[in-house]
Amino acid sequence: MNDKPLLILIAGPYRSGTGGDPQAMAANLARLEAAAWPVFAAGHLPVIGEWIALPVLRSAGAGPTDPLADQVLYPAADRLLAHCDAVLRLPGDSAGADQDVATARRRGLPVYHDAADLPRRTPQAAA
């Protein structure tokens, strides 16, 4: 494989099924973040849309349950996907994650459902 690390979007439930409960959303974010290490350990760079969207919302004085959230969460993931090389789709119902997968497939990007299936990259020592 190419020695360039892939930028991999980790997609899965964040708000879905939480009823707006902050603790449930935090638990979902923790599950997304738990997938970051296996992506990194495979030699790639993990990214999660909420890492971009939540600070944007906070800077607008809003949170994930505010009406503005729909204008930030999905568009942030879509803009981020324009820079990603692949998607890792975690289990669970999520309209946003399904949208990320559809966008990735339209753009010809690989979609993985298990971090074990990611191509392994052995970083070369800097010369």
PDB file of all heavy atoms in Angstrom, residues 75-93:
ATOM      1  N   PRO A  75     -23.806  19.347   7.251  1.00  0.00           N
ATOM      2  CA  PRO A  75     -22.893  20.034   6.324  1.00  0.00           C
ATOM      3  C   PRO A  75     -21.422  19.917   6.739  1.00  0.00           C
ATOM      4  O   PRO A  75     -20.548  19.800   5.874  1.00  0.00           O
ATOM      5  CB  PRO A  75     -23.364  21.490   6.366  1.00  0.00           C
ATOM      6  CG  PRO A  75     -24.810  21.403   6.724  1.00  0.00           C
ATOM      7  CD  PRO A  75     -24.877  20.254   7.703  1.00  0.00           C
ATOM      8  N   ALA A  76     -21.136  19.930   8.037  1.00  0.00           N
ATOM      9  CA  ALA A  76     -19.736  19.794   8.469  1.00  0.00           C
ATOM     10  C   ALA A  76     -19.193  18.436   8.048  1.00  0.00           C
ATOM     11  O   ALA A  76     -18.066  18.336   7.537  1.00  0.00           O
ATOM     12  CB  ALA A  76     -19.621  19.969   9.983  1.00  0.00           C
ATOM     13  N   ALA A  77     -19.979  17.385   8.240  1.00  0.00           N
ATOM     14  CA  ALA A  77     -19.538  16.041   7.829  1.00  0.00           C
ATOM     15  C   ALA A  77     -19.362  15.985   6.313  1.00  0.00           C
ATOM     16  O   ALA A  77     -18.384  15.400   5.818  1.00  0.00           O
ATOM     17  CB  ALA A  77     -20.539  14.989   8.295  1.00  0.00           C
ATOM     18  N   ASP A  78     -20.268  16.601   5.580  1.00  0.00           N
ATOM     19  CA  ASP A  78     -20.161  16.590   4.117  1.00  0.00           C
ATOM     20  C   ASP A  78     -18.899  17.326   3.654  1.00  0.00           C
ATOM     21  O   ASP A  78     -18.169  16.847   2.794  1.00  0.00           O
ATOM     22  CB  ASP A  78     -21.406  17.222   3.492  1.00  0.00           C
ATOM     23  CG  ASP A  78     -21.402  17.104   1.979  1.00  0.00           C
ATOM     24  OD1 ASP A  78     -21.449  15.964   1.475  1.00  0.00           O
ATOM     25  OD2 ASP A  78     -21.319  18.148   1.305  1.00  0.00           O
ATOM     26  N   ARG A  79     -18.618  18.477   4.247  1.00  0.00           N
ATOM     27  CA  ARG A  79     -17.410  19.238   3.888  1.00  0.00           C
ATOM     28  C   ARG A  79     -16.155  18.465   4.277  1.00  0.00           C
ATOM     29  O   ARG A  79     -15.164  18.457   3.543  1.00  0.00           O
ATOM     30  CB  ARG A  79     -17.418  20.605   4.570  1.00  0.00           C
ATOM     31  CG  ARG A  79     -18.503  21.521   4.054  1.00  0.00           C
ATOM     32  CD  ARG A  79     -18.528  22.821   4.816  1.00  0.00           C
ATOM     33  NE  ARG A  79     -19.750  23.568   4.525  1.00  0.00           N
ATOM     34  CZ  ARG A  79     -20.014  24.768   5.000  1.00  0.00           C
ATOM     35  NH1 ARG A  79     -19.149  25.378   5.789  1.00  0.00           N
ATOM     36  NH2 ARG A  79     -21.143  25.369   4.695  1.00  0.00           N
ATOM     37  N   LEU A  80     -16.204  17.816   5.432  1.00  0.00           N
ATOM     38  CA  LEU A  80     -15.075  17.023   5.888  1.00  0.00           C
ATOM     39  C   LEU A  80     -14.830  15.850   4.945  1.00  0.00           C
ATOM     40  O   LEU A  80     -13.685  15.544   4.608  1.00  0.00           O
ATOM     41  CB  LEU A  80     -15.346  16.533   7.307  1.00  0.00           C
ATOM     42  CG  LEU A  80     -14.249  15.754   8.011  1.00  0.00           C
ATOM     43  CD1 LEU A  80     -12.949  16.560   8.039  1.00  0.00           C
ATOM     44  CD2 LEU A  80     -14.696  15.406   9.417  1.00  0.00           C
ATOM     45  N   LEU A  81     -15.904  15.220   4.498  1.00  0.00           N
ATOM     46  CA  LEU A  81     -15.779  14.084   3.573  1.00  0.00           C
ATOM     47  C   LEU A  81     -15.088  14.460   2.269  1.00  0.00           C
ATOM     48  O   LEU A  81     -14.488  13.601   1.621  1.00  0.00           O
ATOM     49  CB  LEU A  81     -17.154  13.492   3.262  1.00  0.00           C
ATOM     50  CG  LEU A  81     -17.541  12.282   4.080  1.00  0.00           C
ATOM     51  CD1 LEU A  81     -18.998  11.927   3.853  1.00  0.00           C
ATOM     52  CD2 LEU A  81     -16.645  11.112   3.786  1.00  0.00           C
ATOM     53  N   ALA A  82     -15.158  15.723   1.888  1.00  0.00           N
ATOM     54  CA  ALA A  82     -14.471  16.170   0.666  1.00  0.00           C
ATOM     55  C   ALA A  82     -12.956  16.010   0.798  1.00  0.00           C
ATOM     56  O   ALA A  82     -12.247  15.999  -0.200  1.00  0.00           O
ATOM     57  CB  ALA A  82     -14.827  17.625   0.355  1.00  0.00           C
ATOM     58  N   HIS A  83     -12.472  15.866   2.044  1.00  0.00           N
ATOM     59  CA  HIS A  83     -11.035  15.728   2.292  1.00  0.00           C
ATOM     60  C   HIS A  83     -10.645  14.314   2.720  1.00  0.00           C
ATOM     61  O   HIS A  83      -9.460  14.020   2.855  1.00  0.00           O
ATOM     62  CB  HIS A  83     -10.602  16.717   3.381  1.00  0.00           C
ATOM     63  CG  HIS A  83     -10.859  18.134   2.999  1.00  0.00           C
ATOM     64  ND1 HIS A  83      -9.993  18.866   2.215  1.00  0.00           N
ATOM     65  CD2 HIS A  83     -11.917  18.940   3.260  1.00  0.00           C
ATOM     66  CE1 HIS A  83     -10.500  20.067   2.025  1.00  0.00           C
ATOM     67  NE2 HIS A  83     -11.658  20.144   2.646  1.00  0.00           N
ATOM     68  N   CYS A  84     -11.642  13.466   2.975  1.00  0.00           N
ATOM     69  CA  CYS A  84     -11.370  12.124   3.495  1.00  0.00           C
ATOM     70  C   CYS A  84     -11.084  11.126   2.372  1.00  0.00           C
ATOM     71  O   CYS A  84     -11.504  11.309   1.230  1.00  0.00           O
ATOM     72  CB  CYS A  84     -12.555  11.631   4.326  1.00  0.00           C
ATOM     73  SG  CYS A  84     -12.719  12.511   5.892  1.00  0.00           S
ATOM     74  N   ASP A  85     -10.375  10.067   2.755  1.00  0.00           N
ATOM     75  CA  ASP A  85     -10.021   9.003   1.819  1.00  0.00           C
ATOM     76  C   ASP A  85     -10.886   7.767   2.003  1.00  0.00           C
ATOM     77  O   ASP A  85     -10.894   6.888   1.131  1.00  0.00           O
ATOM     78  CB  ASP A  85      -8.551   8.611   2.034  1.00  0.00           C
ATOM     79  CG  ASP A  85      -7.624   9.793   1.836  1.00  0.00           C
ATOM     80  OD1 ASP A  85      -7.616  10.361   0.737  1.00  0.00           O
ATOM     81  OD2 ASP A  85      -6.914  10.166   2.802  1.00  0.00           O
ATOM     82  N   ALA A  86     -11.579   7.655   3.122  1.00  0.00           N
ATOM     83  CA  ALA A  86     -12.399   6.482   3.416  1.00  0.00           C
ATOM     84  C   ALA A  86     -13.318   6.794   4.591  1.00  0.00           C
ATOM     85  O   ALA A  86     -13.145   7.803   5.280  1.00  0.00           O
ATOM     86  CB  ALA A  86     -11.516   5.283   3.754  1.00  0.00           C
ATOM     87  N   VAL A  87     -14.280   5.888   4.810  1.00  0.00           N
ATOM     88  CA  VAL A  87     -15.210   5.998   5.935  1.00  0.00           C
ATOM     89  C   VAL A  87     -15.194   4.679   6.698  1.00  0.00           C
ATOM     90  O   VAL A  87     -15.177   3.606   6.089  1.00  0.00           O
ATOM     91  CB  VAL A  87     -16.651   6.297   5.456  1.00  0.00           C
ATOM     92  CG1 VAL A  87     -17.660   6.178   6.596  1.00  0.00           C
ATOM     93  CG2 VAL A  87     -16.731   7.681   4.827  1.00  0.00           C
ATOM     94  N   LEU A  88     -15.189   4.780   8.015  1.00  0.00           N
ATOM     95  CA  LEU A  88     -15.399   3.625   8.882  1.00  0.00           C
ATOM     96  C   LEU A  88     -16.781   3.801   9.487  1.00  0.00           C
ATOM     97  O   LEU A  88     -17.007   4.722  10.290  1.00  0.00           O
ATOM     98  CB  LEU A  88     -14.335   3.556   9.984  1.00  0.00           C
ATOM     99  CG  LEU A  88     -14.534   2.466  11.039  1.00  0.00           C
ATOM    100  CD1 LEU A  88     -14.530   1.073  10.406  1.00  0.00           C
ATOM    101  CD2 LEU A  88     -13.480   2.580  12.128  1.00  0.00           C
ATOM    102  N   ARG A  89     -17.740   2.949   9.072  1.00  0.00           N
ATOM    103  CA  ARG A  89     -19.136   3.055   9.542  1.00  0.00           C
ATOM    104  C   ARG A  89     -19.330   2.119  10.728  1.00  0.00           C
ATOM    105  O   ARG A  89     -19.219   0.910  10.606  1.00  0.00           O
ATOM    106  CB  ARG A  89     -20.086   2.698   8.394  1.00  0.00           C
ATOM    107  CG  ARG A  89     -21.579   2.615   8.774  1.00  0.00           C
ATOM    108  CD  ARG A  89     -22.109   3.913   9.331  1.00  0.00           C
ATOM    109  NE  ARG A  89     -23.562   3.966   9.286  1.00  0.00           N
ATOM    110  CZ  ARG A  89     -24.349   3.761  10.333  1.00  0.00           C
ATOM    111  NH1 ARG A  89     -23.842   3.446  11.517  1.00  0.00           N
ATOM    112  NH2 ARG A  89     -25.664   3.869  10.205  1.00  0.00           N
ATOM    113  N   LEU A  90     -19.601   2.707  11.888  1.00  0.00           N
ATOM    114  CA  LEU A  90     -19.851   1.931  13.089  1.00  0.00           C
ATOM    115  C   LEU A  90     -21.313   1.491  13.123  1.00  0.00           C
ATOM    116  O   LEU A  90     -22.171   2.121  12.507  1.00  0.00           O
ATOM    117  CB  LEU A  90     -19.519   2.764  14.330  1.00  0.00           C
ATOM    118  CG  LEU A  90     -18.084   3.280  14.435  1.00  0.00           C
ATOM    119  CD1 LEU A  90     -17.889   3.996  15.763  1.00  0.00           C
ATOM    120  CD2 LEU A  90     -17.068   2.157  14.278  1.00  0.00           C
ATOM    121  N   PRO A  91     -21.610   0.432  13.870  1.00  0.00           N
ATOM    122  CA  PRO A  91     -22.992  -0.057  13.952  1.00  0.00           C
ATOM    123  C   PRO A  91     -23.917   0.951  14.627  1.00  0.00           C
ATOM    124  O   PRO A  91     -23.477   1.772  15.429  1.00  0.00           O
ATOM    125  CB  PRO A  91     -22.882  -1.321  14.812  1.00  0.00           C
ATOM    126  CG  PRO A  91     -21.444  -1.674  14.871  1.00  0.00           C
ATOM    127  CD  PRO A  91     -20.676  -0.413  14.608  1.00  0.00           C
ATOM    128  N   GLY A  92     -25.193   0.825  14.312  1.00  0.00           N
ATOM    129  CA  GLY A  92     -26.225   1.641  14.948  1.00  0.00           C
ATOM    130  C   GLY A  92     -26.965   2.493  13.939  1.00  0.00           C
ATOM    131  O   GLY A  92     -26.396   2.920  12.942  1.00  0.00           O
ATOM    132  N   ASP A  93     -28.254   2.698  14.217  1.00  0.00           N
ATOM    133  CA  ASP A  93     -29.074   3.522  13.340  1.00  0.00           C
ATOM    134  C   ASP A  93     -28.619   4.963  13.413  1.00  0.00           C
ATOM    135  O   ASP A  93     -28.464   5.519  14.503  1.00  0.00           O
ATOM    136  CB  ASP A  93     -30.550   3.442  13.760  1.00  0.00           C
ATOM    137  CG  ASP A  93     -31.166   2.073  13.483  1.00  0.00           C
ATOM    138  OD1 ASP A  93     -30.633   1.345  12.616  1.00  0.00           O
ATOM    139  OD2 ASP A  93     -32.165   1.740  14.137  1.00  0.00           O
TER     140      ASP A  93
END
